[in-house]
Structures are given as structure tokens and as C-alpha cells.
């Protein structure tokens, strides 16, 4: 029913209306979804369904029975096309940046402005494409903790999404345990009330956030009616990866004009690396790249009716910021004696159907030659082509670790785990980094997870044994070491244990004084 020509026509129409890019590998799945909708509506041909959808796109201002039917069908189709899955405090690095740096800076600025004007301080944040609300509610929780005088503030957090079902879920504010998979239990206890297997968000946090439906591509903004103007911060994460280039440029242009002077935009890592950042000024922090509106009023700035993308003007960049301290203050815990650089375990790669991007081999060569700066640069180019390349994130993390920039290395490990939470390599490096920073408890937690994920990996058992021995828990240390020896004896002595094949199972047994 949907031949190649029809698939192309539907893909173009969807991109035009929503900005969503239908990749060749997604076309079969798209056909299934289109066929399901066609059958549900009782239509007999692809052309009938196409004309129904096209009506709403070609007549955005018309209000009659047919165009209303088209708009209803778009809502139903979009529910099947977009990803709605999220969780609280997704991307810990970016939330740490918000909590420790960006939000405190914005709050001071807004307090000063309010004091000069004799008004109540106001803060406006927009979570664009908020799915079921975890992101704007996470922001509300951070502000709840940062503002002891929050009753004096006019706090406005807006969440928008194209999916009506997701917005209804967000407004209810009830979640399953899956939405807390990277959140400390204390957060759940503090802000949620358990009801059976669901968790209901406290009303005081819910009241801080409002939700509205918005199509980032086809709806105009800034918009006074939606309160989307003069914003202090916009979060739009894990969205641009689904957009075509034209849609990205359109949305960036609208974001720019929706921000107040000096306002910030945060996207997911690497989403905008290959894009024209428009007039934004990029700031690089260890946790993330942040985009800031240039601090200069444009002569014809209006709240609505922006012209399409204009050439970037010459603008005055914001004053330079002081970079964050790369290494956090070490704890008083006694750091372990570490191998430097850390030994990375040998992990058999899974089958890959994708060709490696051209810069990947280059990145690997630079890394092997200890040219870590070049390796990072090449790996970043890989990420601009394949933003979900886990090994590229890991290579960058290893390079930063070898340069002694542990906080950056931690950040890239977490980015890799954001894509593949079961990947052993990033977990292993993360454990080393936490140990190097003196965070032994967290290192131990990560190593235990590795033992669960890869129960036949001797290095993880030996690392745990070392920690237990330093803690004086000789019983557990002996048990872990015994498990490692048992695994090593089951392997041929020449079996490589690390990615550089310099350490073998036989070497390890010899180091342990085991025959």
C-alpha cells in the first residue's frame, strides 16, 4: 500500500509539519504506523490518508469540519511517531551545572534587576518538548532547594510538548518507579507520595509548572499568550536529533528571540555540534556546552512576527566566564594507589551493522599515540556524525582521564551511559575516576554493578578486593580475590585482559602469586 514514492511523500509532509526526520532505517516502521492509522480510519488508499493530513498543513488558519478532522488525525499520528520516554534528573552532569552554576548566576541577576526596579524578582524557564513532565518538575525541585525565599519570587516554569497524551500524564504528576532510575531514593521520599506502585508528586512542586501543547516547528513563538517570551532559560534536550537541518535552524531562530538578553539554551550533548549555532554564544563547561543569547538589543526586535532566518549580525559576546574547577575538592578519604593511566578491560564488541564514521580510526590512532587532544577533537567529529556513538564518548573520557581532567572524564562516561546504561567500559572507567577523586563508596557501587553486568570479568573482582582490603574487610577481600583467581584459571594464559592487550590472564595470575 505504501510504496517508496508514498513513503517519501509522507516523510516530507511529516518533516514539513513537525520537523521530524524519517531516516531510511525508520521507513519500515513508519509504514506500519501509517497502515494502522489508515485501517483505524476506514480509508482504502494511501492517497486518501495523505490528503487528510495535508489539509491541516496547507490550511493552518482554516476552521471547518475537514481541517479540524485533519488536526485531530495529526495528534493521533504524532502520538505514534515521537518518543515520550524520560526520567527525573536526566543527565546528571547538566543538572549539576544548573544547580551549581547557571541557576545561581541567573537568580543573582534577577534579584539585582528586581531590586533596582522595586519589583518582585521573576524567573521564567521553558522546558521545550517536556514529554511527561520529568524535566520541568526536576527543575522545580532544584529551585525549591536553591530558593529559601521562594515565596517572594514569581517563578514560572513552562513545559510544552507536541504530544497531548504526554501532557495529560505530566499534569497528573504521577509516575512509576522507572521514572526514578537515576535518582537518589531521598529525592523520591522528599517530593513524592507513594500510592501502590505509583508515586504522586507533591502539590507545591506541581503548582510551579504549567503545561501547554506546542509544535516547535509549525507554531509561532515567541508568544505572549503562551508566556513564551523574555525567558531566562530554555531546555530542549534529545529533540534536535530527530529534526532535519531546516527544522533545527527554524527552531533555533525562534528560541533565540524567545530568550531575554543573556538567556541560556541547553540542548543534549552533541545535538548541535554539526549545526549552525545561529547567533548564540557557546560556552563550554565540563558538564555541557551552553548557548547564550548575545547581550545586544536588536533594533527591530519584536515579540511576534519574526522574519525567517536572518544572517547572523555582529554582536557583542557576553563577558568571559570563569571556567569551573575541573577537579572537585577531594574528600578526606584515603585515595587508593592507582595505575595511571587506568587499565581498561577487554570487552568483546557486539555485532555492528553500521560502518564506522571516517574520523573514528583517526581518533583511535591519535589515542594510541598519546595525542589525547587530537584524539578528543577527532572523536568529537565522530559524535557530530553519530551522536549516539558510545565508544567515541568513552574514548574522550579515557583521553581526559589520561590528561588528569577527571571531572570532564566523568562527564563523558555519564554521557556514554546515558546512551547505553549497560555498557561495561564506561562503568569501569567511572569506577577508576571515582577512586582517583577519593569517592570510594561510589566507586564500590559502580564496581558491584560491573560484577552484575559482566560476572566473568576478573578485573572488577580484583578492584573490589583492593577496596575491601583497604577498608579492613578481609573476608570480602579474600572472597573477591578468590573469585577473580577462579575466573583467571578458567582462561588460556594468553587471554588479553585490557584493550591494549598488554595484560594477560597469565600476567594477572603471576601478579597474584597464583600458579
Amino acid at each position: 500500500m505504501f510504496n517508496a514514492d508514498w513513503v517519501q511523500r509522507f516523510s516530507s509532509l511529516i518533516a514539513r509539519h513537525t520537523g521530524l526526520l524519517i531516516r531510511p532505517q525508520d521507513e519500515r516502521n513508519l509504514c506500519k504506523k501509517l497502515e494502522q492509522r489508515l485501517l483505524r480510519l476506514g480509508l482504502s488508499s494511501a492517497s486518501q490518508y495523505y490528503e487528510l493530513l495535508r489539509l491541516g498543513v496547507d490550511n493552518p488558519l482554516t476552521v471547518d469540519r475537514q481541517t479540524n478532522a485533519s488536526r485531530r488525525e495529526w495528534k493521533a499520528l504524532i502520538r505514534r511517531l515521537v518518543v515520550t520516554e524520560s526520567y527525573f534528573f536526566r543527565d546528571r552532569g547538566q543538572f549539576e551545572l544548573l544547580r551549581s552554576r547557571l541557576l545561581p548566576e541567573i537568580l543573582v541577576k534577577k534579584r539585582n534587576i528586581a531590586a533596582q526596579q522595586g519589583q518582585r524578582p521573576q524567573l521564567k524557564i521553558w522546558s521545550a518538548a517536556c514529554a511527561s513532565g520529568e524535566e520541568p518538575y526536576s527543575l522545580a525541585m532544584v529551585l525549591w532547594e536553591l530558593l529559601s525565599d521562594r515565596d517572594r519570587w514569581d517563578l514560572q516554569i513552562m513545559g510544552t510538548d507536541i504530544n497531548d497524551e504526554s501532557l495529560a500524564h505530566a499534569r497528573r504528576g504521577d509516575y512509576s518507579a522507572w521514572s526514578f532510575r537515576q535518582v537518589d531514593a531521598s529525592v523520591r521520599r522528599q517530593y513524592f507520595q507513594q500510592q501502590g506502585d505509583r508515586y504522586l508528586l507533591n502539590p507545591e512542586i506541581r503548582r510551579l509548572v504549567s503545561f501547554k501543547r506546542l509544535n516547535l516547528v509549525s507554531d509561532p513563538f515567541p508568544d505572549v499568550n503562551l508566556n513564551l517570551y523574555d525567558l531566562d532559560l530554555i531546555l530542549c534536550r534529545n529533540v534536535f536529533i530527530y529534526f532535519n537541518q531546516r527544522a533545527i535552524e527554524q527552531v533555533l531562530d525562534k528560541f533565540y528571540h524567545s530568550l531575554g538578553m543573556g538567556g541560556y539554551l541547553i540542548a543534549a550533548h552533541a545535538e548541535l555540534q554539526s549545526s549552525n549555532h545561529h547567533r548564540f554564544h557557546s560556552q563550554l563547561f565540563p558538564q555541557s556546552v551552553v548557548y547564550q543569547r548575545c547581550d545586544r538589543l536588536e533594533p527591530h526586535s519584536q515579540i511576534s512576527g519574526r522574519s525567517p532566518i536572518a544572517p547572523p549580525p555582529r554582536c557583542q559576546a557576553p563577558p568571559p566566564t570563569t571556567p569551573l574547577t575541573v577537579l572537585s575538592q577531594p574528600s578526606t578519604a584515603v585515595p587508593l594507589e592507582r595505575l595511571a593511566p587506568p587499565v581498561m578491560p577487554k570487552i568483546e564488541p557486539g555485532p555492528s551493522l553500521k560502518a564506522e564514521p571516517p574520523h573514528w580510526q583517526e581518533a583511535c590512532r591519535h589515542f594510541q599515540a598519546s595525542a589525547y587532544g587530537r584524539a578528543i577533537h577527532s572523536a568529537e567529529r565522530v559524535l557530530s556524525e553519530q551522536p549516539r556513538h558510545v565508544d567515541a564518548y568513552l574514548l574522550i573520557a579515557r583521553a581526559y582521564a589520561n590528561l588528569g581532567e577527571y571531572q570532564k572524564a566523568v562527564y563523558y562516561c555519564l554521557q556514554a551511559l546515558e546512551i547505553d546504561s549497560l555498557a561495561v567500559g564506561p562503568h569501569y572507567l567511572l569506577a577508576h575516576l571515582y577512586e582517583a577523586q577519593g569517592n570510594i563508596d561510589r566507586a564500590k557501587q559502580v564496581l558491584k554493578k560491573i560484577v552484575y553486568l559482566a560476572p566473568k570479568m576478573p578485573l572488577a573482582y580484583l578492584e573490589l578486593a583492593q577496596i575491601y582490603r583497604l577498608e579492613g574487610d578481609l573476608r570480602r577481600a579474600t572472597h573477591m580475590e578468590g573469585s577473580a583467581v577462579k575466573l583467571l584459571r578458567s582462561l588460556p594464559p594468553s587471554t588479553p585482559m585490557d584493550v591494549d592487550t598488554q595484560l594477560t590472564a597469565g600476567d594477572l595470575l603471576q601478579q597474584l602469586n597464583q600458579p
Side-chain angles (χ1 to χ4, degrees):
M1 184 174 293
F2 292 94
N3 58 28
D5 180 54
W6 275 115
V7 169
Q8 187 57 45
R9 294 178 69 179
F10 274 99
S11 297
S12 298
L13 188 64
I14 290 167
R16 182 179 158 199
H17 186 56
T18 67
L20 292 173
L21 175 66
I22 306 297
R23 301 170 301 178
Q25 60 266 40
D26 300 328
E27 289 179 351
R28 180 177 293 182
N29 198 26
L30 172 66
C31 287
K32 287 181 183 176
K33 292 172 180 175
L34 293 174
E35 285 172 3
Q36 289 169 356
R37 290 308 306 162
L38 196 141
L39 291 172
R40 181 65 182 267
L41 295 169
L43 301 177
S44 57
S45 69
S47 63
Q48 286 181 303
Y49 189 50
Y50 182 86
E51 287 306 314
L52 173 64
L53 292 175
R54 190 180 61 81
L55 199 60
V57 177
D58 289 348
N59 303 281
L61 302 179
T62 302
V63 179
D64 59 23
R65 188 176 60 83
Q66 288 180 313
T67 49
N68 285 342
S70 177
R71 291 184 188 112
R72 285 197 299 274
E73 180 51 27
W74 270 113
K75 291 180 181 179
L77 179 61
I78 285 169
R79 283 198 291 271
R80 286 156 180 78
L81 293 178
V82 300
V83 176
T84 60
E85 207 275 335
S86 188
Y87 50 93
F88 288 98
F89 294 97
R90 183 174 183 176
D91 195 323
R92 289 186 179 189
Q94 289 189 333
F95 268 97
E96 177 57 28
L97 176 63
L98 284 165
R99 188 195 306 270
S100 64
R101 179 62 185 267
L102 295 185
L103 284 173
E105 175 191 310
I106 295 171
L107 294 174
V108 168
K109 174 185 163 186
K110 302 298 284 189
R111 270 199 182 98
N112 290 339
I113 292 173
Q116 291 169 6
Q117 298 176 344
Q119 297 176 348
R120 189 181 182 197
Q122 183 188 66
L123 180 68
K124 294 176 67 174
I125 299 177
W126 178 17
S127 169
C130 67
S132 43
E134 287 91 340
E135 181 178 88
Y137 284 141
S138 297
L139 286 164
M141 291 177 216
V142 173
L143 287 171
W144 190 265
E145 294 168 9
L146 289 176
L147 288 172
S148 57
D149 60 342
R150 49 187 169 268
D151 291 341
R152 294 183 58 248
W153 281 76
D154 176 12
L155 298 177
Q156 301 177 27
I157 305 174
M158 283 74 72
T160 67
D161 201 273
I162 197 172
N163 189 324
D164 287 318
E165 282 187 352
S166 295
L167 289 172
H169 182 183
R171 292 188 183 100
R172 289 196 303 272
D174 75 299
Y175 298 93
S176 69
W178 187 237
S179 290
F180 302 92
R181 56 188 180 273
Q182 290 196 13
V183 179
D184 290 340
S186 60
V187 172
R188 194 165 60 188
R189 287 194 299 270
Q190 183 175 356
Y191 294 107
F192 293 84
Q193 182 179 4
Q194 186 169 1
Q195 295 183 350
D197 62 350
R198 308 290 295 181
Y199 296 86
L200 185 63
L201 183 62
N202 292 348
E204 58 264 30
I205 299 297
R206 289 171 59 188
R207 279 195 289 270
L208 293 176
V209 184
S210 61
F211 294 98
K212 295 182 177 69
R213 185 182 187 278
L214 184 84
N215 183 329
L216 290 172
V217 172
S218 61
D219 287 333
F221 56 86
D223 188 322
V224 176
N225 294 324
L226 294 176
N227 198 20
L228 298 176
Y229 69 98
D230 200 20
L231 293 150
D232 298 298
L233 172 67
I234 297 174
L235 269 72
C236 186
R237 305 186 301 164
N238 305 296
V239 174
F240 291 115
I241 54 174
Y242 300 108
F243 281 2
N244 58 35
Q245 192 58 38
R246 176 174 170 74
I248 292 172
E249 298 296 338
Q250 287 177 334
V251 174
L252 282 176
D253 185 68
K254 292 193 280 187
F255 279 160
Y256 182 85
H257 292 103
S258 300
L259 285 166
M261 293 305 152
Y264 289 108
L265 166 68
I266 297 181
H269 183 73
E271 272 190 310
L272 297 179
Q273 281 192 352
S274 59
S275 301
N276 173 16
H277 298 153
H278 192 46
R279 280 158 278 188
F280 289 101
H281 172 74
S282 303
Q283 293 192 48
L284 177 63
F285 295 89
Q287 301 92 339
S288 182
V289 177
V290 176
Y291 305 95
Q292 188 174 27
R293 178 172 174 170
C294 294
D295 273 331
R296 187 178 75 83
L297 277 171
E298 293 178 280
H300 303 298
S301 178
Q302 300 289 332
I303 283 174
S304 60
R306 298 297 311 172
S307 61
I309 306 165
R314 295 180 63 185
C315 55
Q316 179 185 349
T321 56
T322 306
L324 286 179
T325 305
V326 173
L327 274 174
S328 61
Q329 188 69 24
S331 74
T332 54
V334 179
L336 299 178
E337 266 187 49
R338 303 291 338 128
L339 294 170
V343 172
M344 286 296 296
K346 178 77 173 178
I347 301 163
E348 291 300 324
S352 174
L353 301 177
K354 275 186 179 177
E356 287 293 0
H359 298 291
W360 177 239
Q361 293 302 326
E362 182 180 278
C364 294
R365 280 198 304 274
H366 287 316
F367 186 89
Q368 291 299 329
S370 302
Y372 298 127
R374 291 180 182 177
I376 291 168
H377 178 70
S378 297
E380 286 175 341
R381 296 179 72 177
V382 171
L383 291 175
S384 70
E385 297 159 8
Q386 292 188 13
R388 298 182 63 80
H389 199 292
V390 173
D391 286 341
Y393 280 110
L394 180 57
L395 186 141
I396 295 174
R398 293 180 65 198
Y400 276 125
N402 290 351
L403 290 169
E405 298 189 49
Y406 295 160
Q407 200 61 34
K408 287 184 180 177
V410 167
Y411 169 73
Y412 281 98
C413 282
L414 294 175
Q415 290 300 310
L417 295 173
E418 177 86 9
I419 297 168
D420 183 0
S421 62
L422 304 181
V424 173
H427 275 109
Y428 192 81
L429 180 56
L430 198 57
H432 273 263
L433 292 164
Y434 286 145
E435 286 183 63
Q437 293 179 305
N439 196 338
I440 303 304
D441 285 340
R442 188 167 284 185
K444 196 160 58 176
Q445 289 174 8
V446 176
L447 286 167
K448 286 178 180 177
K449 187 170 182 179
I450 294 171
V451 168
Y452 174 78
L453 293 173
K456 294 185 178 180
M457 189 174 132
L459 286 172
Y461 290 91
L462 291 174
E463 293 286 344
L464 271 173
Q466 189 180 12
I467 290 178
Y468 283 130
R469 198 173 298 283
L470 284 172
E471 290 178 337
D473 190 343
L474 298 183
R475 185 181 64 82
R476 281 198 172 93
T478 303
H479 176 71
M480 287 294 157
E481 195 171 296
S483 298
V485 169
K486 188 175 178 182
L487 286 170
L488 289 167
R489 283 176 174 164
S490 70
L491 298 171
S494 60
T495 304
M497 291 284 104
D498 67 350
V499 293
D500 298 316
T501 65
Q502 294 172 348
L503 188 69
T504 65
D507 293 335
L508 270 177
L509 280 173
Q510 206 169 26
Q511 289 178 19
L512 295 168
N513 295 320
Q514 294 292 330

